[in-house]
Amino acid sequence: QVQLVESGGGLVQPGGSLRLSCKASGSTFDINTMGWYRQAPGKQRELVAEVTSGTNSIYASSVRGRFTISRDSAKNTVFLQMNSLRPEDTAVYYCGVTKFSRTYWGQGTQVTVSS
């Protein structure tokens, strides 16, 4: 089992920045992909960004150039630096990690972008 604890969400004005963190614990050996997903009210959960154990990363087109994902494998932690935030970025952000084709989820952290 892998447990995930997210932090860093909150309320920010448009154009502002937030940094999300997610620390994995438990059976963290052989974690492959670590990523961030989000779900806005009435919408499906979508991939925001993910990074592999080899540090290759992919981004949703809507956040590319504004968000940066990074990973500290030694600390089993993944970060999401979010800059130039927009109201449409408002959602619950979930950390997800994949190990042996199984995905584990965090509890989610709310990000609200509003003036």
Side-chain angles (χ1 to χ4, degrees):
Q1 294 288 330
V2 178
Q3 295 79 44
L4 303 171
V5 177
E6 301 130 330
S7 60
L11 172 65
V12 64
Q13 292 186 343
S17 298
L18 284 174
R19 189 183 193 222
L20 305 182
S21 300
C22 172
K23 182 171 179 58
S25 62
S27 181
T28 58
F29 186 72
D30 275 344
I31 285 178
N32 183 9
T33 302
M34 302 185 79
W36 291 95
Y37 301 75
R38 67 186 180 188
Q39 187 167 16
K43 295 187 176 181
Q44 290 188 334
R45 189 173 300 187
E46 62 176 1
L47 172 69
V48 176
E50 65 178 18
V51 57
T52 69
S53 57
T55 69
N56 293 316
S57 57
I58 61 172
Y59 294 90
S61 58
S62 59
V63 307
R64 192 175 295 120
R66 300 188 297 123
F67 292 9
T68 302
I69 191 169
S70 60
R71 176 174 178 170
D72 185 338
S73 294
K75 296 182 178 180
N76 297 309
T77 302
V78 62
F79 305 95
L80 186 68
Q81 178 66 43
M82 304 186 293
N83 299 328
S84 302
L85 282 160
R86 305 167 179 169
E88 54 264 39
D89 295 317
T90 295
V92 178
Y93 283 69
Y94 296 91
C95 175
V97 304
T98 303
K99 174 178 175 178
F100 298 134
S101 300
R102 177 177 175 177
T103 300
Y104 297 85
W105 298 100
Q107 80 284 359
T109 185
Q110 177 70 46
V111 171
T112 302
V113 185
S114 175
S115 56

